[in-house]
Amino acid sequence: MNSFQHAYIHIVDDDEAFRDSLVWLLESHDYRVACHDSAESLLSDFSPEGIGCLVVDIRMPGMSGLELFEELIARGNPWPVVFLTGHGDVPMAVQAVKRGAFEFLEKPFNQQAFLSAVEGALAACHTSMADVAVRDKFEERLASLTTREREVLEKVIEGKMNKVIADEMGISIKTVEAHRGKMMDKMGARSIADLVQGVVAHRSRDAG
């Protein structure tokens, strides 16, 4: 039993017998698998949704695994890539990892090492998707604020008291309190500390 039964694993390798062996191994562990005999075949109908990962041979006829990886980066592919490599191609695989590939395995590899790499890639995909969902929800909440509420938010996270905010904005303290209450509700913040932590986390994600 694996932890990601609804995940998809796409195998891209020109060696049919090797592909079949990986399919057997993965399906015996309840993974859903799709196979492609070339990079071009994958790109013709690849539409990643949900949790998944790619297992790619680094050296193939036509478009190589590295070229495929660069094309996937250009397309904004969200799924981690595990490269399979022969001994002579290890430098290329290291280069791919530096460009953001999740892992590479040198052939021949043992089954447990392969399964561990796949499980790790799927876990990384799951974490990345969760982070995106949190960011999108926060941005949705920010977008729901009025101009005044957004202004109050900025001043609140700077640590300013209601009276100071009222003076700076040229409005009454009661109006500040009203804007502040609505802003806190829309942001789903239970306290000022909760609000500040959310804003800081959001901005650090954007900076990263």
Side-chain angles (χ1 to χ4, degrees), residues 138-152:
F138 196 88
E139 288 177 351
E140 181 183 310
R141 286 173 167 170
L142 278 177
S144 73
L145 299 180
T146 66
T147 302
R148 283 297 207 185
E149 288 165 358
R150 182 65 181 263
E151 194 174 349
V152 168

Side-chain angles (χ1 to χ4, degrees), residues 26 43 52 110 123 152-153 156 160 186 198:
L26 290 167
L43 292 173
N110 67 56
V152 168
L153 179 148
V156 166
K160 294 178 179 177
K186 289 181 180 180

Side-chain angles (χ1 to χ4, degrees), residues 179-199:
H179 285 318
R180 181 168 169 162
K182 289 178 182 177
M183 177 270 291
M184 293 288 284
D185 284 344
K186 289 181 180 180
M187 294 304 296
R190 299 181 299 273
S191 65
I192 298 302
D194 192 28
L195 177 71
V196 172
Q197 288 170 2
V199 172

Side-chain angles (χ1 to χ4, degrees), residues 13-14 56-61 64-66 83-97 103-107:
D13 197 301
D14 61 305
V56 179
D57 188 10
I58 205 162
R59 188 182 291 276
M60 295 181 287
S64 71
L66 271 184
F83 274 111
L84 307 180
T85 175
H87 176 68
D89 298 325
V90 168
M92 281 197 294
V94 172
Q95 177 188 340
V97 170
E103 179 64 281
F104 76 88
L105 296 174
E106 185 178 349
K107 298 176 182 177

Side-chain angles (χ1 to χ4, degrees), residues 9-16 18-19 22-23 26 33-43 45-46 53-61 63-66 68-69 72 79 81-85 107 114:
I9 301 165
H10 285 251
I11 299 170
V12 188
D13 197 301
D14 61 305
D15 184 332
E16 183 178 3
F18 186 72
R19 284 199 313 273
L22 292 185
V23 170
L26 290 167
V33 187
C35 281
H36 309 270
D37 60 5
S38 68
E40 293 84 353
S41 171
L42 171 79
L43 292 173
D45 65 354
F46 184 54
C53 73
L54 293 148
V55 176
V56 179
D57 188 10
I58 205 162
R59 188 182 291 276
M60 295 181 287
M63 180 182 283
S64 71
L66 271 184
L68 170 61
F69 183 57
L72 290 170
W79 284 5
V81 175
V82 175
F83 274 111
L84 307 180
T85 175
K107 298 176 182 177
F114 176 71

